[in-house]
Amino acid sequence: MRATDLPVRALMSGSVASALSTLTLSWLCHRDGGALASGTNATSHWFWGETARYRDAPSLRHTLLGYAIHHASSVFWACGFERLAGRRARPARIAAAAGLTAALAYVVDYHVVPRRLTPGFERHLPASGMLATYVAFAVGLCLGSRACRRGVVKLARRVARPARRAVRAAPATRTTAPAAPAPPPRSRD
């Protein structure tokens, strides 16, 4: 596996962004007097209709499906982010690509797609909470991307290091045929 593989990088950065933005969303919903799962449940309105926006209690039907939709969307946006950031991006470029991706995701989520396909967070958060959730998404993209790039490189180095040591420590191999065995010593009788 190479650190330059787009699907691997997108899966990693999208997963971290999904987790961080969901944690932020849940904390903000709870802080504002709602339930932890209410923001995540709201996303399941894609399948269950408007009643899902009003579900507060965690459930497999609403919370798990809402998170799955959010996670898939995060990985989708991470593909574009990783493409923007490039293969060997520096931290400043990664941060700029993450900010641009999060802003574009917000515009598409709330100003382009039909209401039926919005994330549904707006019912549970004020504008500042929405901003914080999308900022958390951008930070998650950055962290996931950096972790993937560094983790894969470190892993490759760890794997290569013992192999290099083994080559250095190995005795030199012969390239010629071994010499014939010495004749047995003669006895003096």
Side-chain angles (χ1 to χ4, degrees), residues 5-168:
D5 291 340
L6 180 76
V8 172
R9 293 190 334 252
L11 183 61
M12 178 68 142
S13 58
S15 296
V16 173
S18 173
L20 190 58
S21 60
T22 299
L23 288 171
T24 302
L25 171 67
S26 297
W27 178 74
L28 289 170
C29 286
H30 183 67
R31 184 196 71 178
D32 292 344
L36 284 171
S38 60
T40 304
N41 289 348
T43 306
S44 70
H45 78 276
W46 282 25
F47 288 94
W48 309 127
E50 288 300 307
T51 58
R53 291 179 188 259
Y54 302 99
R55 298 285 181 186
D56 288 335
S59 68
L60 289 176
R61 179 179 177 156
H62 294 286
T63 312
L64 186 62
L65 181 60
Y67 183 74
I69 292 168
H70 178 63
H71 189 82
S73 298
S74 296
V75 173
F76 167 78
W77 284 109
C79 290
F81 157 73
E82 289 293 348
R83 194 89 167 128
L84 268 172
R87 288 183 177 193
R88 301 189 192 283
R90 297 189 181 272
R93 184 170 178 172
I94 291 172
L100 182 63
T101 302
L104 183 60
Y106 171 79
V107 169
V108 170
D109 285 350
Y110 287 101
H111 300 288
V112 175
V113 300
R115 180 169 161 77
R116 173 81 176 174
L117 298 178
T118 64
F121 306 153
E122 75 282 355
R123 170 164 176 343
H124 302 280
L125 295 176
S128 61
M130 295 288 293
L131 176 64
T133 301
Y134 280 89
V135 166
F137 178 72
V139 170
L141 288 173
C142 288
L143 293 175
S145 181
R146 293 295 294 164
C148 184
R149 292 163 200 270
R150 289 182 147 197
V152 171
V153 169
K154 284 182 180 178
L155 179 62
R157 286 182 185 154
R158 281 189 204 141
V159 169
R161 193 174 297 140
R164 283 188 297 225
R165 286 183 189 148
V167 168
R168 284 187 213 139

Side-chain angles (χ1 to χ4, degrees), residues 166-180:
V167 168
R168 284 187 213 139
T173 57
R174 293 183 180 185
T175 56
T176 59

